[in-house]
Amino acid sequence: MWFVVLASLLLLLVSLSWAALTPGFRAPDEVQHLNSVVRLAEGDGWPKPGDAFVREEVIDARELSGSTQDGKRTYLPGSVNGGPDSLRFAEVPPTGVAERESLDGLDDEPTDTRSIDQMTQHPPGYYALAAVVYDAAQVGEWRYDRALFLLRALGALMIAVTVPVSCFVAARELTGLEWAGRLAAFAPLLVPQLGFVGGSVTNDAAAIAVAAVLWAALLKVLCSGPSRRRLLVLGLAVAAALWTKGTALSLIPGAFLAIPLAYRRSRGGALRDWGRPAAVSTGLVMAGAFVLGGWWWALNIVRFGSLQPAAYYTPQGAMSPLGIFEFAEIFARRIRQSFFGDIGLLEAPMPDWFTLSLLWVFLVLCGVGLLSRRRLGARLIILLGLGLTVGILFTTTYSAHLHTLNLPGLQGRYLFVLIVPLAALLAAGLVRIGRVARLSGVWLGGGVAAVGLVVALLGLGFGFRIYYVEPGRSWGDAVDLFLGWSPWSPIVIAGLLSSLVLCALALALLLGRVSALHELGSVGQPVPAPYSTDRRPLSGTDEREASAGAEPASVPAGGLRHQQN
């Protein structure tokens, strides 16, 4: 498991680097997310959508961060918005350390602004957890920039603890290969936007983390068979997902169908042999999930007439209504940019060559990963989750466009609930390619880890340029600007970067050790068979594919005893 631990550490450090790099309140809706955490921490509850307003101290903190000046927005050096006369962030002198008051210190007037906090349209799960941390650590007494960093770090921790290990479990279950799981654990590094989202204050962090566990539990049930413990974990994951945000709702049908499929696969035979236990288990899991979390959405329908009521009125735009194909073209471009790299307030996309390259890597490898009939049920459930999530996002955003004549909601982060199945399919695709090209699993895993780290560092580099490098000024000026706004001293920033380097070196050493052991195994060392998640003898298509793709027992793809770390 050392590979998975390193993958989690690297993802955590990358997200913390984004948390330190991103200027205050430069992530989508960060003002409102922080406001809802502070409101809950101070005991002011969870008003109905449209009745919550941003507190004065949060607006004052945004002003101190340079995100606004006298209430007017400032624009990043790399922003595609703004004009020649717009106020530039690089022109705002950093607020002095002595002037960076705490949120409690800024709360000299216990009043709300008339700016709506729309976050009460979501369940309060993430905000309640963040409020507990906020209250326990007395974050309200910290400098506002360090308070913001701590809550950003909470999101980074949520994602780093759950996503890589869930990718490992999902890919191992889907392919039956331990080394494919290790490969998948590093796949999240190929999505720089995930690090940016992890390094911000947002309920997406909780949705991504819980969705990751849900996918791992679902594939465990599908591929290894339904047991009481596995079904309990799946039910709890579904319930927890229902407490995060609406983007997780698209995963529920897959969980509902996975249980009967798992019973049919594990017990086989006629419907009477598996139908009744499958129906009972499915009913219990879904009923438990409803009691623990689903009632929130049912209550919304009763109270407001919709699953997720709108918290404010969106003003009409000046666009002409787009046809569905015109909208689809814009949808594909915006989602691609904001899935892989569109930072700030969705105002600064990373270069097209960068995000297009990453898109094609995922499309090709995940497409190859789908082209197998082995564990077909698992692949169909993944395909259902992908189709529903993308389809619902397209339908809701197109409907919103027709009603508002704007382009609201075109954000790739809403698809991050699919990170785990995408990583599993990517690993499955590399397994098939590796078998055809006779490539070692050790080198494929090392390649994904190395490329993922390079992509993550490139993303941070693009982020630094977008945030701080003003045209006509030097990179030295940009470094001074970054350090001037940073919540931490240069020593702390250097320590964070050094930790990234040390993790990269540890990964290189581990890969070198495993590679050397692989070479020893290739000249006759006894090794065990590759990991398999099957709990029954293979037959039919499974047997043909397994035998066609199997390697000699003495040289499995990464299946050395010493590699079971």
Side-chain angles (χ1 to χ4, degrees), residues 224-487:
S224 292
S227 66
R228 289 182 180 178
R229 185 170 64 178
R230 290 168 188 158
L231 291 172
L232 176 61
V233 172
L234 177 59
L236 291 174
V238 171
L242 292 170
W243 275 107
T244 57
K245 63 186 301 180
T247 51
L249 292 176
S250 62
L251 309 183
I252 308 305
F256 178 83
L257 293 174
I259 299 172
L261 279 175
Y263 272 96
R264 183 182 182 278
R265 182 178 187 273
S266 63
R267 299 196 178 189
L271 177 62
R272 63 177 177 270
D273 297 326
W274 57 268
R276 183 177 178 182
V280 171
S281 296
T282 303
L284 287 174
V285 167
M286 291 297 123
F290 179 84
V291 169
L292 293 176
W295 61 267
W296 172 273
W297 303 95
L299 188 61
N300 278 351
I301 294 175
V302 173
R303 294 177 66 193
F304 309 114
S306 65
L307 275 173
Q308 183 168 296
Y312 57 84
Y313 171 75
T314 303
Q316 287 289 105
M319 297 180 67
S320 299
L322 297 172
I324 192 167
F325 294 108
E326 292 176 290
F327 181 82
E329 183 180 352
I330 295 173
F331 177 89
R333 175 168 48 83
R334 290 278 188 93
I335 294 299
R336 182 251 304 170
Q337 289 173 336
S338 56
F339 184 90
F340 290 107
D342 190 356
I343 60 175
L345 302 175
L346 296 180
E347 58 183 320
M350 295 180 189
D352 272 348
W353 65 265
F354 183 63
T355 56
L356 277 171
S357 299
L358 293 172
L359 173 65
W360 278 108
V361 167
F362 272 81
L363 286 177
V364 170
L365 293 179
C366 290
V368 173
L370 275 172
L371 297 177
S372 173
R373 286 183 294 172
R374 192 178 184 210
R375 296 186 175 90
L376 181 60
R379 283 174 166 80
L380 289 177
I381 291 296
I382 288 175
L383 197 57
L384 175 66
L386 295 175
L388 277 177
T389 306
V390 176
I392 290 171
L393 181 59
F394 180 87
T395 302
T396 54
T397 52
Y398 186 52
S399 175
H401 161 70
L402 294 178
H403 281 88
T404 66
L405 299 182
N406 278 311
L407 294 170
L410 297 179
Q411 301 192 38
R413 62 190 168 96
Y414 296 153
L415 302 182
F416 283 169
V417 294
L418 302 173
I419 282 289
V420 167
L422 288 174
L425 287 177
L426 183 144
L430 281 172
V431 166
R432 292 177 66 85
I433 291 172
R435 283 172 174 167
V436 171
R438 302 187 65 81
L439 296 174
S440 163
V442 175
W443 293 110
L444 284 173
V448 171
V451 172
L453 184 57
V454 169
V455 167
L457 294 176
L458 275 175
L460 287 167
F462 289 133
F464 181 85
R465 188 181 68 182
I466 288 167
Y467 289 145
Y468 300 106
V469 182
E470 186 74 17
R473 297 188 184 180
S474 69
W475 280 69
D477 291 336
V479 171
D480 291 339
L481 184 64
F482 163 60
L483 293 176
W485 283 110
S486 174

Side-chain angles (χ1 to χ4, degrees), residues 58-72:
V58 177
I59 296 296
D60 290 344
R62 183 178 66 178
E63 188 83 4
L64 289 174
S65 74
S67 183
T68 58
Q69 285 287 285
D70 299 324
K72 295 180 180 180

